Each structure stands twice: as C-alpha cells, then as structure tokens.
Amino acid sequence: MAQAGRRWQRSLFPWLLSWGFAQCSTDPCVFTAERTINGKPQRLILGCYVDDLFTLYSDDGPGSLYESFTSDLAARWNVEDEGPVSDLLNVDISRDADHVLLQQH
C-alpha cells in the first residue's frame, strides 16, 4: 500500500499538534514537546519516518512526559513499543549513560 504512510501522517500530525507538539520548521517529520512536571523540565523529540516513530526523551519515569505521551498514543492507536532503537536509516545507534554514538557504514 504505497500511500499508507502518508495517510498515517495525515492522521498523526494533527493529533501531535493538538497534544502540544511543535512541528520543526526545517523538517516537517520532526516534532518537539516541552513541559515542566513536578518542577522538572522535560522534553520529547519525535521523528516520524513512513509509519515508524522515534522518540528521544529526557525522563521516562512514572508521571513523566514520555509516559503520558506513550499512554495517550496507545489509547488512540494500536502501537507497539519495540524498545531502544539500534539502527535508523543505515545509521547504527549505541548509547551509554552519558553518550549516544551514531555510526554510518
């Protein structure tokens, strides 16, 4: 289905904006959301590629912005969290406590 990704984006993008995300002006498939929760600033950066979402977040604990977003997303659509990403568009991704390493082969 060649247009499935586009149809998904037509449904997803307005929902993201209504949820409080801002769409990046230089890449329309990147969104950011920021909120202060319990006095702590939190940020989500979301990338959408065809029908995949990639999320970077500052906190994923109970009551976090990430937890709230993923809960609302799952309530709206049938989504599956496939865990930490290890490769994206031919870029290998590895991480430790302080760094994220991107390597392209």
Side-chain angles (χ1 to χ4, degrees), residues 47-62:
C48 179
Y49 181 74
V50 186
D51 62 352
D52 289 322
L53 298 177
F54 304 92
T55 308
L56 300 169
Y57 46 88
S58 57
D59 184 350
D60 66 348

Side-chain angles (χ1 to χ4, degrees), residues 32-45 56-68:
T32 59
E34 296 182 53
R35 293 188 191 153
T36 299
I37 299 175
N38 297 325
K40 182 178 177 184
Q42 296 186 26
R43 173 183 281 180
L44 289 176
I45 302 172
L56 300 169
Y57 46 88
S58 57
D59 184 350
D60 66 348
S64 68
L65 182 59
Y66 174 77
E67 182 186 62
S68 176

